[in-house]
Amino acid sequence: MNQVSVLAPIERAGLDPERLEALFTHLGPQEAENALCRAVEELAYRLGHLDRLHQQCRWPEMRSQTCELGEIAKFIGMQATARISCDVVQCLDDGDQVALAATLARLGRMGERSLYAIWDMEDQSI
């Protein structure tokens, strides 16, 4: 009897705890916490905004927002999210709509996992 396997894309959040530690060392606990909260809020907003831009076929704005999202992700140690944002930009530059849809979905999954991982880290430090 043949069993059908289903692809279930699962990737780890890809956080760089050393980047977060350096951020806290450089800025101090209170300022780093404020910066991290602002960055997390901005990332959550931009992930949703990218989906809307994609649905509206607003490619130049989508490219700009994706680049900014990647920079914010890199700043707070979300290395996988930053890397995938570069992949989304490449799909936009190539004009490959199929790859863009798939890579944008991957960015959404990874971004969400990374945000949850940061929130979990914050909960553990309280």
Side-chain angles (χ1 to χ4, degrees), residues 52-69:
R52 288 186 296 279
L53 293 172
H54 182 248
Q55 290 170 357
Q56 298 167 357
C57 301
R58 293 167 55 188
W59 311 130
E61 189 176 352
M62 187 178 176
R63 187 183 194 289
S64 171
Q65 291 291 313
T66 303
C67 289
E68 291 175 19
L69 182 144

Side-chain angles (χ1 to χ4, degrees), residues 14-16 19-20 23 36 39-40 42-43 46-47 66-85 107 110-111 114-115 118:
L15 291 177
D16 180 3
R19 177 66 190 130
L20 284 173
L23 186 65
L36 185 59
V40 165
E42 190 65 27
L43 282 171
R46 286 178 192 262
L47 285 168
T66 303
C67 289
E68 291 175 19
L69 182 144
E71 289 302 314
I72 295 167
K74 192 183 313 180
F75 175 72
I76 61 173
M78 294 173 134
Q79 303 303 12
T81 302
R83 186 175 43 0
I84 297 167
S85 70
L107 178 62
M110 181 56 67
S114 297
L115 289 172
I118 285 183

Side-chain angles (χ1 to χ4, degrees), residues 62-64 66-67 84-95 100 103:
M62 187 178 176
R63 187 183 194 289
S64 171
T66 303
C67 289
I84 297 167
S85 70
C86 292
D87 295 340
V88 169
V89 169
Q90 187 62 55
C91 292
L92 283 162
D93 290 348
D94 292 346
L100 175 61
T103 309

